[in-house]
């Protein structure tokens, strides 16, 4: 704020709760790639191309597994650190899934890093856990999966969020059979917009891998540019925010399903990938279209209210 930037664009911070109120206090508009905590997700000065408001939860993937693996979800487990971002997401995930019939027989939280996956995996095995999910880093997932392989333990469902749509996971050699969500068009079957993102990324940062979160950052840049262009030479923070709040249909030109960034509404569209032979393959809904409007399952009822003591909502002065 002291440097007086005009806006933040394409930003994403895992521990973003402490910055939520200060950004509002100095009037800084954030067109973020993603938000991670309750406070930032409901900030009045934040607009994201793929909104994730903390009081709502998209349940399309959880409903899919409940239908396909009704016995497995009765013995569920979740792992997440106790940091604000992970705890927010982990508690929301449990709350929503329990309403769909999931029974969590094992929950493990840890201050920042889980160092003993061997013991944790043995506990899962002893309890007969058949559904496992987590809110952590790709490296944490690899550590857990390696321990499962070493223990010859193979739960029916390992369900990971969209941040795990990363080639580091497939390259690990221990992730075959794992399910991964995606809220952007997959790189394996790219739309024209995804191809443009990949090409732009190669030019700007040749050694940086393409990721789903990177797509969201690219979409945030396009969202900012669209709103700013409408203002012409009269570009102000107030005008920018007004233009952003007026955008209620946004797909970044085909980067992801249509979203409502202006209304900060969570999208109900679901795509589930499965890692097979070291590669991401589309499992659900199973279409091979490169059109996001056809390659996602979008059920308007697949959104649930969630509630918790997850921090304050920033207030305008």
């Amino acid at each position: 704020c002291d440097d007086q930037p005009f806006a933040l664009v394409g930003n994403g911070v895992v521990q973003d709760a402490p910055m939520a109120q200060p950004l509002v206090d100095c009037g800084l508009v954030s067109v973020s790639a993603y938000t991670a905590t309750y406070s930032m997700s409901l900030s009045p000065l934040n607009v994201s191309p793929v909104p994730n408001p903390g009081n709502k939860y998209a349940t399309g993937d959880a409903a899919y597994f409940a239908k396909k693996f009704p016995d497995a979800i009765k013995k569920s487990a979740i792992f997440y650190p106790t940091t604000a971002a992970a705890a927010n997401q982990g508690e929301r995930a449990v709350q929503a899934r329990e309403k769909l019939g999931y029974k969590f027989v094992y929950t493990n939280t840890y201050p920042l890093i889980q160092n003993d996956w061997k013991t944790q995996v043995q506990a899962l095995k002893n309890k007969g856990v058949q559904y496992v999910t987590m809110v952590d880093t790709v490296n944490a997932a690899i550590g857990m999966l390696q321990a499962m392989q070493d223990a010859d333990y193979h739960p029916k469902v390992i369900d990971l969020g969209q941040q795990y749509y990363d080639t580091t996971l497939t390259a690990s050699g221990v992730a075959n059979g794992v399910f991964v969500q995606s809220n952007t068009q997959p790189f394996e079957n790219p739309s024209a917009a995804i191809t443009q993102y990949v090409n732009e990324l190669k030019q700007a940062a040749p050694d940086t891998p393409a990721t789903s979160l990177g797509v969201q950052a690219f979409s945030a840049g396009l969202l900012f540019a669209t709103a700013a262009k409408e203002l012409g030479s009269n570009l102000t923070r107030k005008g920018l925010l007004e233009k952003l709040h007026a955008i209620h249909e946004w797909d970044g030109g085909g980067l992801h399903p249509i979203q409502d960034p202006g209304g900060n509404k969570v999208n109900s569209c679901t795509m589930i990938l499965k890692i097979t032979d070291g590669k991401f393959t589309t499992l659900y809904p199973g279409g091979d279209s490169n059109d996001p409007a056809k390659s996602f399952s979008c059920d308007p009822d697949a959104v649930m209210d969630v509630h918790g003591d997850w921090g304050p909502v920033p207030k305008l002065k």
Side-chain angles (χ1 to χ4, degrees):
C1 290
D2 292 342
D3 292 337
Q4 298 183 331
F6 178 71
L8 297 179
V9 182
N11 50 295
V13 180
V14 173
Q15 302 299 337
D16 59 14
M19 66 189 282
Q21 186 63 53
L23 290 182
V24 170
D25 290 344
C26 68
L28 189 57
V29 178
S30 173
V31 191
S32 61
Y34 68 88
T35 58
T37 63
Y38 184 84
S39 296
M40 192 65 182
S41 73
L42 296 173
S43 168
L45 296 191
N46 182 78
V47 179
S48 297
V50 182
N52 182 32
N55 56 359
K56 300 287 184 179
Y57 193 88
T59 58
D61 64 300
Y64 171 84
F65 291 119
K67 181 178 180 180
K68 293 293 184 180
F69 303 95
D71 294 331
I73 68 167
K74 300 300 182 183
K75 292 187 176 182
S76 297
I78 187 169
F79 293 97
Y80 58 87
T82 53
T83 53
N88 284 179
Q89 303 296 347
E91 291 170 14
R92 290 169 67 227
V94 170
Q95 188 177 133
R97 282 167 173 75
E98 286 181 338
K99 292 179 181 179
L100 292 172
Y102 286 66
K103 183 178 180 181
F104 284 85
V105 299
Y106 190 82
T107 298
N108 186 264
T109 61
Y110 34 95
L112 185 60
I113 298 173
Q114 174 58 260
N115 290 315
D116 188 7
W117 284 113
K118 181 179 179 180
T119 299
Q120 300 304 326
V121 165
Q122 188 60 50
L124 299 184
K125 195 172 183 179
N126 292 344
K127 288 182 174 290
V129 168
Q130 290 299 315
Y131 172 93
V132 181
T133 188
M134 73 186 316
V135 182
D136 208 324
T137 65
V138 173
N139 285 337
I142 292 172
M144 178 185 71
L145 294 169
Q146 183 64 63
M148 287 180 173
Q149 181 172 289
D150 293 344
D152 195 25
Y153 168 58
H154 308 284
K156 290 183 180 178
V157 181
I158 300 174
D159 175 19
L160 301 179
Q162 59 91 24
Q163 71 268 33
Y164 298 90
Y165 184 24
D166 189 313
T167 53
T168 304
L169 184 61
T170 51
S172 69
V174 294
N176 277 333
V178 170
F179 301 98
V180 176
Q181 303 166 39
S182 179
N183 54 14
T184 59
Q185 189 67 21
F187 302 115
E188 291 76 17
N189 188 29
S191 61
I194 289 289
T195 299
Q196 182 181 355
Y197 157 71
V198 172
N199 291 339
E200 295 283 354
L201 182 64
K202 286 180 180 178
Q203 291 185 37
D207 297 329
T208 301
T211 65
S212 181
L213 292 180
V215 174
Q216 290 181 209
F218 193 59
S219 185
L222 295 172
L223 182 63
F224 167 80
T226 299
K229 185 177 180 180
E230 290 189 19
L231 293 169
S233 60
N234 187 29
L235 183 58
T236 64
R237 284 177 173 174
K238 181 180 178 181
L240 175 66
L241 193 62
E242 289 176 351
K243 290 296 183 182
L244 289 168
H245 281 159
I247 298 175
H248 297 289
E249 291 190 359
W250 178 260
D251 66 357
L255 293 171
H256 46 68
I258 295 174
Q259 311 278 340
D260 183 355
N264 196 26
K265 294 182 179 179
V266 67
N267 187 278
S268 66
C269 295
T270 300
M271 177 185 288
I272 300 174
L273 309 175
K274 185 176 182 180
I275 298 177
T276 305
D277 296 329
K279 297 179 180 180
F280 288 107
T281 58
T282 304
L283 174 70
Y284 177 78
D288 59 0
S289 171
N290 59 11
D291 179 358
K294 299 177 181 178
S295 53
F296 287 78
S297 174
C298 301
D299 178 0
D301 294 328
V303 175
M304 191 176 290
D305 291 331
V306 288
H307 306 280
D309 183 15
W310 296 318
V313 175
K315 299 183 182 299
L316 292 168
K317 289 183 177 180

